[in-house]
Each structure stands twice: as C-alpha cells, then as structure tokens.
Amino acid sequence: MLSGDVRRLAPILALLATAACASAGSQEEVAAPSPLMTGADLTPHAPPQLLEVLRPPEAAVTAAEDVELTGTEMGTMWTFENPPLDYWEETYGFRPSAEWLEHVRLASVRYGQVCSASFVSPNGLVITNNHCARDCIDAVSTEESDYLMDGFYAPTRNDEKLCPNLYLDQLIEIEDITAPVHAAAQPGMDAAAVASAQQRIRTELDQQCEAETGLGCQVVSLFHGGQYKLYKFRRYSTVKLAFAPETQAGFFGGDPDNFTYPRYDLDITFVRAYEDDGVTPARTPHYFKWDPEGAQEGELVFVTGNPGSTSRQISVSEYLYQREARHPTLVDFFDSRVDVLHAIAEKDPARGRALKNTTLRYENSQKLFRGQLKGLRDLGLTAHKIRWENEFRQKVEQDPQLAAQYGDVWDELEVIHTAKARLYPKLYLYDPDEIVPSAHLQLAGRLVRYIEAMAVPEGQRPNQFRGDNLAQIEAQLREPGPLLEDQSVGMLAGRLAIAQGWLPVNDPLVAAIRAGETPYDAARRLVGATRVGDAEYRARLMEGSATSLGALEDPLVTLARRMITMRRPALREWGRLTTAQDIQTERFAKALFAVYGTDLPPDATFTLRITDGEVKRYEYNGTYAPAQTTLYGLYARAAEFGNEMPWKLAPAFEKARDEVDMSIPINFVSTNDITGGNSGSPVIDRDARIVGVAFDGNVEAFPNEFLFVAPSGRTVSVHTAGITEALRSVYQTGELLAEILGTGGN
C-alpha cells in the first residue's frame, strides 16, 4: 500500500503508525515481554558519533567513473505547469495538446490528506483505492453492518452514505510566486531570519489568495525552494460512499503480499462528490471516460496523482546521512516494535488479534524502510548518485558566476549532515514518547515534564501545559488506564538495545543497563521497581516541586528525567542544523535550477503530478513477472494456500466462482514513477481514458525514493477490465456499472 507520504521521522511515524501512538492507557501502547529483545538480534551499525565526516565507500566512488546517466535519474513526476512535451514526443511519439492537459488535470483530485483519486462520470463519481477509503467505510458502518468486512453498495444516490471529514481537492489554477518569496531574504539576514521572513510572505500570499478567490490555496515549494508556486483548489467537502468491496478483496494477500507482485487485489472504492448543498451531485464535466478493456502490454500510460515525497534532488552528503544514520536507525526502531508485537501474539493470541492492525502498520513500515536501506547500500545506486552529483557540480564550477554563488554549498551541506548523523539517534532515543513507547516510561516522562512545567508561570510554559491542554494532561496522569507491565518491559528493552548500538558506552541511557544485564533484564528491573503505576504516588509527585525530582529514588522517573534533560540541548542543536540546512538546501536547489531549469521534475510534494510509462513485464526470480495477472490467478493463489488468511477468497468472489470470466486481467504493472500519496491515482491512456487505478509499488521500486534508476521497479494497478467484471459478475452493481460505462446510471 502506498497511501500516505513518507517524509521525515515525526511525520512518518504519525502517518504510518498512528494507531500505535495513542495514550499510555490504550491497549496498543502497553506491551508483553519479549525474549527477542536482548539486543543481540539487532543489525549492527557503525555508530554515527564515530564519524568524522560522511564519506562514500571507495568502491562506489570508483564505480561512479563508469556510470552512464540516462537523464531520468530525477524521475518522471512532472508538474502540469511544465509538461515535458518534447521528451514525450521523442520517446513515445505523443505530444498532448493544452486542452488534453487541462482536461486531465481537472479530472484528477486529491483525496483527503493521504491519497489520490479521479472523476469517472459527469455526476461527481470518483474512484480511489479501498485502502484509502477505509476510514470512511469504517465511519459509516454500524453495529448491524460492518462494511469493511462485508462491503457496501448504494444502488441509488439516496442510499449513499456521508463520509465524515472527507474532502476532495481539484487543482484549478497555478501561480508562480518565486520572486516575492525569494525577495523576502534581505542582505545581512542570518539563516533563521531568512526562514522567518520567507514563511511570513508565504503565509500572507496564501491568506490573500483565499480571501480574493474563495478557493483553497497552498504555497508549494518546488526544487527545495528553487521555485515557489501558489496552487489554487476547489474543495468538495461533501463526499458520500457509493461502493466498496470487502476488505479481503481489496487487500487479498495481506501484508505478506504487500509491496510485491504478482498481485490479485480489487483495491478500489467509489465515492461521490456533492455540491455545497450536500444534496445535488457535483457537476464534473472533466472526468475520465472508462475503458472496459483496460491497459495492454506495451501501451503508453500516464498516472496522475499526488506523490507525497521523494529525496532525489539531494546532495551526496544527505544521501549518506540517510544511508549511515537515519534509515538504519528507523529500521532498528521498526524491528524493535515488530518483535515485541510478534512476541505478544505468540504468547497471547487474543491480544495479538487486538493488535493486528497496529502490527500490520509497523510491518508495512518495516518492509518499506528495509527496502529503502537496501537501496541506499546498493553499490550501483550509490555510484549513480555520486556520478550525478559530480556532473552537476562540474557544471556549476565551470560557470564563474554560478561557482561564486554556489560553489561552497556542498562543503556546507557536508558539515551539516555529518552533525545531523551524530545527533539523529539521540534526538529520538531521549524522548520517552517516541520510537518504542513503553507505557511506564511514557508516564514517567509526562510526570517529569508536568512537574517542571508547573514550577514556572503559565505564560512561560509550553503550550501543552496551558489551559485545556493542561487539564487533559492532568487527567491522563491521574487516570492513565491499564499499564500492561509485560508489554512495557518489551518496549523499554527495545529502546535500551537500540541505545547500545547507537550511543556511546558512557551515555546515561546505555548506562541504565548494569554490568551483566541484557537490555531485557534492565527493562524488567526498571519497570518492576518503578512506582509510577501507583495513583497515590503520582498524585504526590504532581503536588511536588521541580527541586524534589532530584531527590527521588524511583529509577524510571530518574531515567526519564535524565533523558528529557539530555534531549533539550539536542533539540536546540537539531533546530539550528535544520535551519542552516534549509538555507543551504535552497542554495543547492537554486544552483540545480540554474543548470537544468524545468528539464528536471522537482521532488514530490503531495501536489498533482503526471508521470509517463509503459505497461511492461520485468525480470523476476530468474524468469519474468507478467505484465498483467488474471482472475485465474486470484482463485489459484487462494487454492494454493488452502484458502487460509490472508489468501482467503472474499465471500463475494467465492460465491461468484462459476459466474466470473477468469481470463480477465485484475492487476498489471507499468514503468510509471509513483510513491506514497499516489494510492488511488488514475492510470490513463493517450486518449485520456482510464485503464487502471494505481495502488502499490513493488519491492524493486523502493530505491526509487533516492534515484529513479531501478530497472525492475514497477507501479502496480487494478485493471479496469477486472473492475468491470467484478462490478458486473461478482457484485452485480448494475446502476454503478452503467454510470461509469456511460450507458445510464442513477
């Protein structure tokens, strides 16, 4: 599944693991003991604090000399204001008109905050992925009707169900505002002042746009600050559910098949946009006509959607920071959480079932970051990145004016990223609420922060300790809910094991492990000795002063206080480095733009893009993965696994076994360039007919986060022929099928 954008750590955790980051009293935050969490099972990494400077492997430097660049290393996620018409004509013999591009742009929509979608009828009907629509489907379910489990179909518009808090954004207009934003940076300003001035002008332009147009407006940074655009959207804020298959049909194969291919998923859902009155279906003259035959192998196809983020237009030093520090640390974090959750399921199957969704989210994240780290450590990918930067840097240095303006930016970035690599693990390991949250440690940390905050006047406290926020925290401290000691021990053991691998031996977090102890032993001792689970003890602490914290003998409260104290200077330094990086990254981007202009597509920003590609098989396990899979394969895969979960046929497909044409394609792959946020994107042909709906990428495409060079990387989509057959023979949605085929509809 590709929904959501994978950005920097905090947004990543919020997006991919929301359910596991609830309050300390929730069933999903407290945990079971894990004999796996000894530290010995974690993949060893070179601690970043030992790095003097980030340097690429010598073998990659040597290999870079023989690399031949293709010109598409930055990918093919083109913006609609700068379509590569000459490139398309030269590569495919296709040069779309301005009218074609406008029609395609207006037929595409952004689905909420995480996905993409498109209009497929003139009456506001929209198709997206089933996994994008799960929040809506769950919200409209009742005790009597579980639409996630059983599916949903509204035969008439009166039967459609309102999706709470869902909206669709249609990109109406794009305005270039680069000049005023860049002009906000005045001579003599330091990095922080420049960042503040530019943010101020961006906010002013955004607010002015909304006031003057009545549209939703968003300032978008492209080329990492090389360009700024003002995107203007029409928002459809009334959206209703029209059709959804059973989740088992939409996510057949579950996590084991996720990010793989061949696949057999009907990962689709239809919703409908309404006018502001909430009663009249939206009039949408720009929509994609339906091709019931779908895409064919070798065919040119385009994907329009909102890719979340990529990291292609970064320096080699930032690439190495990702390779040596950020991604290995993230892999350790997710490995730790998954280990604990698996141990819970093995010990207590009932608790394991209750935590299944959380486990799936973390397994999804684990697979993603492991795949990306594998790409970062690939000799060929690293060599490509070095060669790309060498050619770019040479072009800058050969131009005296550019060299004078930007020649030192690589050295500046190298210093920043080396410092970030040393700091990154500390920043999150020192936060009791982050990474592998142990309920007891979280509670101890909240007590420490509360006591320290209450020692100063309200106006000097952080926002979370003022007004209603303060009342909420006090309620959580007094009634945190059940604290499951075994899970708490497992999570704390994971944190300590990661600390052993990443922090110096004299670090207080590492020193919490006594001589002869494993991280699990230390965690069991700390959680067993703490009194934070005692309500009377917490109440007495809440009435105490900050000075009394130093006299406490509670080992977990003492550890939490040390962590919080150590994190403060780390957080300040991180802020300084991030501000400095923003300025240098913008300089880097300006140099890139000065050399290449709009011949390169900017990194993804969860704004509308169009990417070209072909339906194409690829080498796989010594043979080839087919360009498309069929319904034969769906039934065969279920049979080969004994029709057991997660390869159990959805009930509707089981019932329709004798009715469906099994030769019809259900999924297919293409060479289009997508990433998280593209889930639900329409796949269209040169006639702007919809031939599929993108829902995933294969594991081979993971390295494309950093360079678009993976030869076997593919976009995985649902085939419109398979959708048509499912609507006709499996779900018998006559009115809906007639509407998308243009032969009628309600």
Side-chain angles (χ1 to χ4, degrees):
M1 292 183 295
L2 282 171
S3 60
D5 199 325
V6 197
R7 291 180 170 85
R8 305 302 176 246
L9 178 62
I12 288 169
L13 293 178
L15 183 61
L16 296 177
T18 302
C21 298
S23 67
S26 75
Q27 186 76 359
E28 296 189 1
E29 272 201 11
V30 289
S34 174
L36 302 176
M37 298 311 303
T38 63
D41 300 302
L42 296 176
T43 304
H45 306 295
Q49 71 269 10
L50 301 181
L51 295 172
E52 293 185 6
V53 68
L54 289 166
R55 297 291 189 197
E58 191 58 41
V61 175
T62 301
E65 297 175 2
D66 298 323
V67 167
E68 293 187 9
L69 300 179
T70 63
T72 58
E73 283 77 14
M74 297 298 102
T76 60
M77 295 177 181
W78 311 101
T79 60
F80 272 81
E81 62 268 34
N82 290 306
L85 300 178
D86 293 340
Y87 160 73
W88 285 342
E89 185 169 35
E90 180 180 349
T91 305
Y92 308 108
F94 176 66
R95 191 180 188 92
S97 65
E99 291 75 19
W100 188 94
L101 288 164
E102 181 183 32
H103 169 70
V104 167
R105 170 171 55 81
L106 293 173
S108 306
V109 292
R110 188 163 60 185
Y111 183 95
Q113 296 180 330
V114 293
C115 285
S116 302
S118 61
F119 292 118
V120 290
S121 92
N123 298 311
L125 190 66
V126 169
I127 191 168
T128 189
N129 285 156
N130 182 257
H131 74 261
C132 294
R134 284 180 192 166
D135 284 348
C136 166
I137 300 167
D138 185 48
V140 302
S141 294
T142 65
E143 291 185 4
E144 296 76 24
S145 301
D146 184 347
Y147 298 127
L148 283 171
M149 178 69 69
D150 302 329
F152 173 82
Y153 172 50
T156 71
R157 291 172 190 162
N158 289 335
D159 298 311
E160 294 173 353
K161 295 187 177 296
L162 178 66
C163 296
N165 304 315
L166 177 60
Y167 55 85
L168 307 172
D169 285 338
Q170 180 187 40
L171 181 58
I172 301 297
E173 185 181 346
I174 302 169
E175 179 183 348
D176 192 334
I177 56 169
T178 304
V181 175
H182 282 175
Q186 298 295 315
M189 284 184 172
D190 62 16
V194 170
S196 177
Q198 291 189 336
Q199 182 56 51
R200 186 166 55 253
I201 190 66
R202 291 170 63 174
T203 301
E204 290 174 359
L205 291 170
D206 189 321
Q207 294 174 344
Q208 179 182 344
C209 170
E210 293 192 354
E212 291 179 353
T213 66
L215 299 172
C217 298
Q218 178 187 359
V219 175
V220 177
S221 172
L222 300 176
F223 301 101
H224 299 271
Q227 270 192 335
Y228 289 92
K229 301 288 184 176
L230 190 59
Y231 279 35
K232 305 174 186 180
F233 298 93
R234 173 177 179 180
R235 173 161 293 184
Y236 295 91
S237 55
T238 301
V239 184
K240 299 182 182 181
L241 181 66
F243 169 80
E246 310 99 313
T247 295
Q248 185 55 23
F251 197 40
F252 178 82
D255 185 70
D257 283 4
N258 195 22
F259 293 126
T260 68
Y261 185 81
R263 294 285 288 279
Y264 309 91
D265 286 11
L266 188 69
D267 195 352
I268 60 151
T269 289
F270 289 91
V271 298
R272 191 184 304 277
Y274 278 75
E275 301 291 351
D276 293 339
D277 61 12
V279 176
T280 308
R283 296 181 59 188
T284 51
H286 291 282
Y287 67 94
F288 293 123
K289 293 185 178 179
W290 193 266
D291 180 1
E293 302 299 320
Q296 306 300 316
E297 185 166 12
E299 185 176 356
L300 166 65
V301 290
F302 296 90
V303 172
T304 65
N306 300 272
S309 70
T310 50
S311 302
R312 296 165 183 170
Q313 294 171 359
I314 60 175
S315 64
V316 167
S317 64
E318 183 168 356
Y319 177 96
L320 294 173
Y321 156 72
Q322 298 282 346
R323 170 189 167 119
E324 302 300 331
R326 182 172 177 269
H327 268 71
T329 309
L330 285 171
V331 168
D332 281 354
F333 294 157
F334 286 114
D335 284 355
S336 177
R337 283 192 170 188
V338 170
D339 281 350
V340 173
L341 294 171
H342 284 175
I344 293 170
E346 184 175 347
K347 178 188 175 184
D348 187 342
R351 285 173 69 187
R353 286 191 293 273
L355 292 165
K356 185 63 177 176
N357 285 339
T358 299
T359 304
L360 287 174
R361 285 187 177 92
Y362 285 123
E363 287 175 337
N364 189 58
S365 304
Q366 180 189 45
K367 189 179 292 188
L368 173 67
F369 286 108
R370 278 186 172 276
Q372 290 184 353
L373 179 57
K374 183 179 179 181
L376 283 165
R377 290 178 170 173
D378 180 76
L379 177 67
L381 184 69
T382 307
H384 266 85
K385 184 64 184 179
I386 294 169
R387 181 56 179 263
W388 177 84
E389 178 164 288
N390 286 346
E391 290 201 4
F392 169 37
R393 192 168 184 174
Q394 186 177 30
K395 291 178 186 294
V396 170
E397 291 172 347
Q398 289 174 344
D399 185 316
Q401 185 175 355
L402 293 180
Q405 285 181 281
Y406 308 117
D408 65 337
V409 71
W410 286 271
D411 295 335
E412 296 286 345
L413 286 170
E414 187 177 81
V415 171
I416 291 168
H417 290 124
T418 300
K420 286 184 68 175
R422 297 185 185 125
L423 189 59
Y424 184 82
K426 296 180 182 180
L427 190 68
Y428 294 101
L429 283 168
Y430 290 163
D431 187 343
D433 286 320
E434 282 283 6
I435 308 309
V436 276
S438 162
H440 287 78
L441 180 62
Q442 285 182 309
L443 192 53
R446 288 170 186 164
L447 278 168
V448 170
R449 288 182 172 127
Y450 174 85
I451 294 167
E452 292 181 342
M454 298 306 291
V456 300
E458 183 173 2
Q460 299 176 24
R461 298 174 198 162
N463 287 333
Q464 63 264 40
F465 294 100
R466 301 181 190 179
D468 292 341
N469 292 335
L470 175 62
Q472 184 177 1
I473 287 179
E474 289 178 334
Q476 291 173 350
L477 289 172
R478 292 191 177 97
E479 298 290 341
L483 303 176
L484 303 185
E485 183 172 313
D486 50 4
Q487 187 173 343
S488 219
V489 169
M491 291 293 189
L492 180 56
R495 181 187 297 269
L496 295 176
I498 295 169
Q500 271 191 328
W502 287 100
L503 302 180
V505 293
N506 61 347
D507 186 276
L509 194 55
V510 179
I513 307 170
R514 293 175 178 173
E517 283 186 329
T518 66
Y520 183 77
D521 294 334
R524 186 168 52 187
R525 171 177 52 80
L526 289 164
V527 173
T530 187
R531 297 181 61 193
V532 297
D534 183 334
E536 292 184 4
Y537 179 73
R538 294 196 304 273
R540 287 198 301 273
L541 286 185
M542 291 172 68
E543 294 171 0
S545 65
T547 56
S548 67
L549 283 172
L552 288 178
E553 296 182 356
D554 188 295
L556 203 59
V557 174
T558 300
L559 178 62
R561 187 187 184 203
R562 288 176 180 169
M563 291 166 59
I564 291 168
T565 300
M566 292 185 297
R567 189 173 188 266
R568 287 182 180 127
L571 195 59
R572 287 193 295 270
E573 176 64 6
W574 186 263
R576 185 190 69 79
L577 290 170
T578 300
T579 300
Q581 180 185 340
D582 288 344
I583 297 302
Q584 297 304 326
T585 297
E586 184 169 316
R587 292 182 66 221
F588 183 90
K590 287 179 178 178
L592 186 72
F593 197 72
V595 171
Y596 297 105
T598 57
D599 290 342
L600 301 179
D603 268 324
T605 53
F606 196 50
T607 50
L608 189 62
R609 305 293 179 89
I610 180 168
T611 170
D612 52 273
E614 295 177 310
V615 179
K616 191 175 182 180
R617 68 185 69 184
Y618 62 95
E619 293 185 5
Y620 164 84
N621 282 354
T623 178
Y624 287 92
Q628 60 187 32
T629 62
T630 66
L631 289 168
Y632 275 123
L634 168 67
Y635 286 91
R637 192 157 178 79
E640 288 160 359
F641 283 97
N643 203 35
E644 294 181 352
M645 292 294 290
W647 298 280
K648 183 179 178 64
L649 285 173
F653 276 88
E654 181 67 71
K655 183 179 180 181
R657 180 187 293 268
D658 296 330
E659 307 299 326
V660 300
D661 181 348
M662 293 191 184
S663 67
I664 286 179
I666 183 169
N667 292 164
F668 68 98
V669 287
S670 62
T671 60
N672 300 85
D673 182 12
I674 69 168
T675 190
N678 272 117
S679 286
S681 293
V683 186
I684 61 172
D685 63 14
R686 63 177 66 209
D687 295 320
R689 298 177 303 175
I690 188 167
V691 296
V693 180
F695 71 94
D696 211 349
N698 60 0
V699 292
E700 291 86 351
F702 283 160
N704 285 341
E705 165 72 15
F706 303 99
L707 279 182
F708 189 60
V709 295
S712 296
R714 292 292 186 273
T715 291
V716 187
S717 303
V718 192
H719 203 286
T720 51
I723 299 171
T724 304
E725 179 65 7
L727 295 179
R728 176 186 294 119
S729 301
V730 178
Y731 296 101
Q732 300 176 2
T733 58
E735 292 296 324
L736 176 63
L737 185 59
E739 182 173 0
I740 63 174
L741 293 176
T743 59
N746 53 3

